[in-house]
Amino acid sequence: MKKLVILICGLALMSMFSCKPEEDSLNKRIMGLETMAELGTVEYTVTKIIKANDPKWYKNGERKIIFNSVAYIKAGIDMQEFSMNNVTFNKEEKTVSVVLPRAKVLSFNMPPEKIHVAFSEISGARKEFTIEETNDLKIQAENAIREDIPNMGILQDAENNAKGFFKVLLTQLGFEVITIKFE
């Protein structure tokens, strides 16, 4: 899936850069980046296991439940934050410097159909988990995944992929010295 996202973005950008690099069109093609909404450069599929054990000392028995859940996280560059002011180039020296916005999560999807009960055990006089209780557990899982995003490396991967992507495109435009930074 990660490669598909990069390929689709690549084809879209390559069409903007498909003519010969002439002075007038060079500005237009680089400025065309400003019209893009976002550049998704990586997609992660994250599996989270949700466990709950509810032993009540005053009730006979206990309740246990385990869910498997899947979340899809797409990260990349929000091109609405990109400005032509962040691009400097010298066509004669074939140098270009681009400052891109920091990568961020572009979409987070945790489809309900991808959340399944893997194990459930109710003993004694206990009742099944209610819909409200299971929904609370699912929300906890989503929050745990979102909180862990900075530790997953997805944002760093998104920036590395964006950097590589822009280097290839700018090389195709005839630049030889390419500097790409993030702020």
Side-chain angles (χ1 to χ4, degrees):
M1 188 63 152
K2 177 169 49 172
K3 291 179 183 175
L4 178 62
V5 171
I6 294 170
L7 177 63
I8 290 170
C9 293
L11 293 174
L13 279 176
M14 287 174 113
S15 68
M16 288 192 302
F17 293 109
S18 61
C19 35
K20 292 182 181 176
E22 297 170 5
E23 192 75 36
D24 274 348
S25 64
L26 186 59
N27 263 339
K28 290 178 185 174
R29 284 181 268 153
I30 292 176
M31 286 174 50
L33 295 171
E34 293 178 309
T35 64
M36 293 179 54
E38 57 188 38
L39 175 63
T41 58
V42 69
E43 183 170 297
Y44 275 33
T45 301
V46 178
T47 302
K48 182 76 174 169
I49 295 174
I50 311 154
K51 302 186 287 186
N53 184 8
D54 183 25
K56 299 280 186 181
W57 64 270
Y58 56 87
K59 293 191 177 186
N60 184 16
E62 58 183 338
R63 303 185 305 166
K64 297 178 184 178
I65 194 164
I66 298 176
F67 291 96
N68 289 327
S69 63
V70 175
Y72 303 104
I73 306 166
K74 183 173 82 170
I77 308 301
D78 182 351
M79 294 305 291
Q80 297 299 315
E81 297 175 12
F82 176 76
S83 168
M84 190 59 193
N85 296 332
N86 294 339
V87 178
T88 55
F89 63 91
N90 183 316
K91 188 173 187 283
E92 291 78 34
E93 294 178 13
K94 298 183 180 182
T95 63
V96 63
S97 176
V98 179
V99 179
L100 295 171
R102 286 271 173 208
K104 64 183 183 180
V105 173
L106 301 174
S107 70
F108 183 98
N109 184 19
M110 195 168 164
E113 65 272 8
K114 294 288 187 175
I115 301 173
H116 305 284
V117 175
F119 172 80
S120 178
E121 180 179 81
I122 312 299
S123 65
R126 303 299 303 276
K127 294 183 180 179
E128 296 284 331
F129 283 88
T130 66
I131 292 173
E132 291 82 17
E133 289 172 320
T134 57
N135 283 340
D136 286 344
L137 292 170
K138 293 172 187 176
I139 290 169
Q140 287 176 18
E142 179 178 339
N143 291 339
I145 293 171
R146 286 182 184 272
E147 289 172 9
D148 200 35
I149 287 174
N151 303 323
M152 291 181 196
I154 187 171
L155 299 176
Q156 185 63 46
D157 285 349
E159 288 182 0
N160 289 340
N161 290 345
K163 186 182 265 190
F165 184 75
F166 276 91
K167 281 188 176 185
V168 167
L169 289 174
L170 294 168
T171 299
Q172 290 176 351
L173 286 171
F175 293 105
E176 294 175 1
V177 178
I178 301 166
T179 305
I180 298 173
K181 298 178 186 173
F182 294 90
E183 68 174 30

